[in-house]
Amino acid sequence: EKRVGFTQIVKRLDRLEADFTSQIKVVYDKIRDDAVVRLTKLLDARDLKAIGDFTLSYTNEYTSLVASQMREAYNFGKNSAADELKVPAGSTKRDSTTFINQSAQAITDKQMAELTFIIKSEMLKDLRKNNLSEVNLGLANIIASIAIAFSSFFDSKVALTGPVAVMQSVNRGRMDTFTANQNTIYALQWSSILDERTCDTCAALDGSVYAVGDGEWEPPVHIMCRCLEVAIMTDELNQIGRASCRERV
């Protein structure tokens, strides 16, 4: 672990997570503003069929941004591992590109489907209460409920996406580098960033050693997890003790 700059890694993870959340918030607010405008018109027209068929806009832009942020995190993981091994960073593997694109699409599909359901539920709930009996007041109440639903969903769901997507991508990039250079790697060591976010499981895993691709767990273990895998090089065995290492693999 002496080759790993954990302080710098933590700082970069903080920045990646913050950038992810701030940039996704811009597109999310765009989705919200567009939805409020269109739903206001539908509610004002009492077009219940169109309300039932309502879908959110700008979802492709949302997906593209998630994928872009994941690629940035992946490249950081790939390059940081290469720096630790003192080797050139390899090209991005095709299956990793596919993983990032599919993950970004899955994140968007799941969040937008859930958000659409919540919005429609809020509207139907208010409509059942006859909140449109007094047109101006009722419409304002429903739109306010939709805005609150958007805000609550961002805080409870979207804001948690960054830490998970970033760590999945960082660790994917690191593993691609380790796999490409496994002929010089004796084993991998689990390294938990020990702070207030560390759970009991990750604390227990910290320091465990296993062959490349043979770990029982794969980081991240949970939301907000910041565990990494670091390489033990074959030329380090004399320093750490070959027998000791083998006992832990």
Side-chain angles (χ1 to χ4, degrees):
E1 292 186 332
K2 292 181 180 179
R3 291 174 287 100
V4 184
F6 287 106
T7 300
Q8 294 305 314
I9 286 176
V10 169
K11 289 181 179 179
R12 185 62 186 275
L13 292 177
D14 286 341
R15 190 162 66 251
L16 286 168
E17 290 178 8
D19 287 349
F20 190 108
T21 302
S22 64
Q23 292 190 43
I24 207 71
K25 181 73 161 57
V26 174
V27 181
Y28 186 84
D29 287 350
K30 188 176 179 179
I31 293 171
R32 178 203 61 200
D33 293 345
D34 173 78
V36 167
V37 169
R38 290 192 291 129
L39 288 171
T40 298
K41 292 178 180 178
L42 296 179
L43 288 166
D44 192 41
R46 310 295 200 278
D47 193 341
L48 298 182
K49 183 180 185 307
I51 291 173
D53 295 335
F54 179 81
T55 58
L56 296 167
S57 299
Y58 303 108
T59 55
N60 288 340
E61 185 175 345
Y62 193 90
T63 303
S64 295
L65 182 56
V66 173
S68 175
Q69 294 298 305
M70 290 184 71
R71 280 193 295 273
E72 183 177 354
Y74 169 88
N75 285 329
F76 167 66
K78 180 180 67 175
N79 293 335
S80 63
D83 288 344
E84 293 160 17
L85 302 184
K86 300 187 186 314
V87 297
S91 59
T92 300
K93 291 185 175 181
R94 182 177 298 179
D95 60 346
S96 290
T97 298
T98 300
F99 167 80
I100 289 171
N101 292 335
Q102 290 181 344
S103 295
Q105 189 64 61
I107 288 169
T108 300
D109 291 346
K110 185 176 187 302
Q111 291 185 351
M112 295 301 110
E114 188 173 348
L115 182 56
T116 301
F117 175 80
I118 291 171
I119 291 169
K120 291 181 179 180
S121 297
E122 284 294 329
M123 288 190 294
L124 290 173
K125 179 179 68 177
D126 287 337
L127 287 170
R128 289 194 200 99
K129 294 178 181 178
N130 297 316
N131 276 359
L132 285 180
S133 58
E134 298 180 27
V135 177
N136 292 332
L137 178 60
L139 185 59
N141 286 344
I142 294 177
I143 294 303
S145 295
I146 293 171
I148 291 172
F150 265 97
S151 179
S152 177
F153 189 82
F154 185 88
D155 292 339
S156 63
K157 301 289 185 179
V158 179
L160 298 178
T161 303
V164 176
V166 163
M167 288 309 299
Q168 284 180 331
S169 304
V170 167
N171 277 294
R172 180 94 184 193
R174 291 180 66 82
M175 182 55 72
D176 280 358
T177 294
F178 296 151
T179 302
N181 295 277
Q182 59 184 320
N183 61 316
T184 63
I185 296 174
Y186 177 73
L188 297 181
Q189 179 173 321
W190 187 285
S191 183
S192 301
I193 305 295
L194 300 175
D195 56 20
E196 68 279 358
R197 288 165 56 163
T198 309
C199 70
D200 291 342
T201 299
C202 294
L205 287 168
D206 185 51
S208 57
V209 177
Y210 43 88
V212 177
D214 198 33
E216 183 178 355
W217 296 79
E218 182 178 331
V221 175
H222 54 77
I223 294 175
M224 308 301 283
C225 178
R226 277 192 167 179
C227 294
L228 298 168
E229 292 169 310
V230 300
I232 299 174
M233 310 303 292
T234 53
D235 60 9
E236 292 181 290
L237 292 181
N238 291 333
Q239 300 175 34
I240 65 174
R242 183 182 297 268
S244 175
C245 188
R246 278 182 174 164
E247 288 174 1
R248 302 178 71 183
V249 173

